[in-house]
Amino acid sequence: MEQRNATRLRVLEHIRTKGAVSRIDIASALQTSPATVTAATADLIAAGLIKEIESEAISAPGKRGRPRVLLQLDAKSYIVAGLKVARQGISVILVDFEGSETASYKHPLEKPRMSPSEFVASIRSALDETCAQIGRSAKDLAGVSIGVAGLVDANRNFVYWSSSITERNIDFSNLLSRHVPCPAFMDNDANLVAKAEQLFGLGKGLKTFLVVTVEHGVGLGIVLDGQLYRGKRGCGAEFGHTKVQLDGALCQCGQRGCLEAYVGDYALIREMAVTGQINEAMTVADIHDRAQSGDQRAASVLSRAGQIFGLGVSNLINLFDPECIIVSGTQKSFEHLCTDKVLARIRSGVVNVDAALPEIKVHHWGDLMWAKGAAAYGIEQVSILKVRELIANTP
Amino acid sequence: MEQRNATRLRVLEHIRTKGAVSRIDIASALQTSPATVTAATADLIAAGLIKEIESEAISAPGKRGRPRVLLQLDAKSYIVAGLKVARQGISVILVDFEGSETASYKHPLEKPRMSPSEFVASIRSALDETCAQIGRSAKDLAGVSIGVAGLVDANRNFVYWSSSITERNIDFSNLLSRHVPCPAFMDNDANLVAKAEQLFGLGKGLKTFLVVTVEHGVGLGIVLDGQLYRGKRGCGAEFGHTKVQLDGALCQCGQRGCLEAYVGDYALIREMAVTGQINEAMTVADIHDRAQSGDQRAASVLSRAGQIFGLGVSNLINLFDPECIIVSGTQKSFEHLCTDKVLARIRSGVVNVDAALPEIKVHHWGDLMWAKGAAAYGIEQVSILKVRELIANTP
DNA sequence: GGATAATATTTTACCAGATAAAATAAATAT
DNA sequence: ATATTTATTTTATCTGGTAAAATATTATCC
């Protein structure tokens, strides 16, 4: 049964990445027989996960034979919520099964750090508020996925530590099942963005790639052979806290020399503060503006961040040798990390092989990147759930 | 058939890690049925890979029931050669199927860098020489495995670059099959040591661990979920060339700031040279001696290497979150990398989680570490080959 | 010392899941 | 209308694993 499950999911996954594809093409792409695909797609249709495209006669002009029937995700079948908890508030997005947004909402938070029960209560009310927008209730959701900054063991909804939560080592399974009326999943926010790149973004169809997220901190999601790699204790991929300098700059985490302490938003603002030219709420966008209008010090702050970032990325390539590295961020605020000089730094740090460097792709998401990431993970988890149910009910 | 293959190999692998184990125990350990184990072990016995232990009645005293029959590797069934090509010469070891040494030999090399055909010819004569010691010929070997320093794509015996070879990007498949009269495999030397740790060493039974090799350079083998991770192009795990300092010390590879340029043998000797107190052929052991007899400068050279090494290891833990890190070397010449201060540095660089730090194990091998590593890989590849043959011949 | 119980392994009958081959469906070309 | 081509479904098998029954081998109990 586990085997069958996996086959169904593989077919579903392939339909998702291809968008619309015929049974024959699935069979040849997955190196399996048409009979198996017929069986699998029949099940997936029964579960409401996919559907046949109505518009008949897609037969290529001048091509004989029975035309292929295209299959695609059944977008309207399920609604999934993605949440990202940040200090300013909770971003929520509702998406259909294809990942298209149907509603979004920003829930304010009184305090950036909450107890576990406050945390779950906030999630619940953010969820209710958003569902109300489309005249639905949280009960109607097929799943909810929650992204938090910090160290999370996603397999057991266990949070070692998060900047949003006052207590350490909390198992959220019970709290969530009590207070959220649908299946709920948690993970580290960078992992979720990696999931989004894999399902909908620049990682579509790739097997082995890394997603680096840049914003306040620097995060990493590792996808190896199509799977998110999480490490033994569920707390790997802490790229932002790899050390780039012995006893270097002080980081938020309390340690010294972390990459994040040179590249994260707060690090840049801290540097600008040293120059004395800082006002209350300076942002990285402001630093960009200054640099562009000729401020040498601002330019130098950005440039050094880029060099350190490039060093870090070259280390990732040296260790993982991935197909591709995707740099993802919400705004245009990380342009300084994608310059030719940064690329040169990366190149000069990667061990020299006569094979092309892994492609480095840049993805500028909008504000909802993190929430969309959570939604992507939610869609994947719901798929797994539905397939499991389906087979459990097949006698 | 592929599935059956995998089952056979899983059983064989379990027998190897346990040493001697009964069918029942295999079944429960691998979560499979006794019937399957009976079938698998029958096949493995037919292939000469395992055998039943003769000594009957191992029944525990006072325990009723039919006693278990223990199974173990059939040590005498196959001979495998492991080779390590270094600048001083080629180390060869012949092992039985359990990995026990039956002969070893050090083949001198006139020149440290050879053309591909010279390279293969040297391997052949080193092999012949060693086999002669036990009155055998290279034809009698079940497989030969060759380790080289450099960038190797093991899946296709392709060497991007190696310090032992004058040309780049050589596909050795044809050369090897023409000049070596038995199946031959190549890989990066650090990967091979990781294989040895997995099959015979401190990684026995572990799923996810890293092996750091220290000697002239610094190497890394990555084992994830029981498999060697090699990256997309087959050239990942270049730990020695991850950068620990922006525009830092010059490395053999021509780049700056590589970890190896602070930790490798040549880096220490270079540092000592700066102090002016160097003779022709100083070794790391000499530096240790001096440090122990109170030479502050020698102590400081070793201490800095340790700190940089610790920084690198903490980065590995932050990225991979493995079960365990094994530091492997040939001599006692890396004691300075295993001190309490180094451990403290590692600890101070790993992101703080309330879960135990991955265990850090130190493995002092003898001189033949690299060759034994190659042999381990050879044994694994021969196992795969034999199982494949077996099933191909089962009608 | 034979009956009984306990435990390991093998055998047998069967099940699950994938597939080859045949059948069917749906189009174009003649 | 008929033949041809291609896609999908159905059916009969094949593969690999497993539950249950059978068998093997021991200890323990009268």
Side-chain angles (χ1 to χ4, degrees), chain B residues 22-24 34-35 38 64-69:
Chain B
S22 67
R23 291 178 176 84
I24 278 246
T38 293
R64 294 212 263 189
R66 177 175 173 171
R68 316 174 160 200
V69 178

Side-chain angles (χ1 to χ4, degrees), chain A residues 321-341:
Chain A
D321 183 30
E323 283 175 74
C324 163
I325 291 192
I326 301 169
V327 182
S328 299
T330 52
Q331 316 290 347
K332 300 254 161 178
S333 61
F334 59 103
E335 274 167 341
H336 60 293
L337 302 180
C338 317
T339 66
D340 287 348
K341 281 192 173 170

Side-chain angles (χ1 to χ4, degrees), chain A residues 23-24 38 65-66 68-69:
Chain A
R23 291 179 176 83
I24 281 242
T38 292
R66 177 174 174 173
R68 317 174 158 199
V69 178

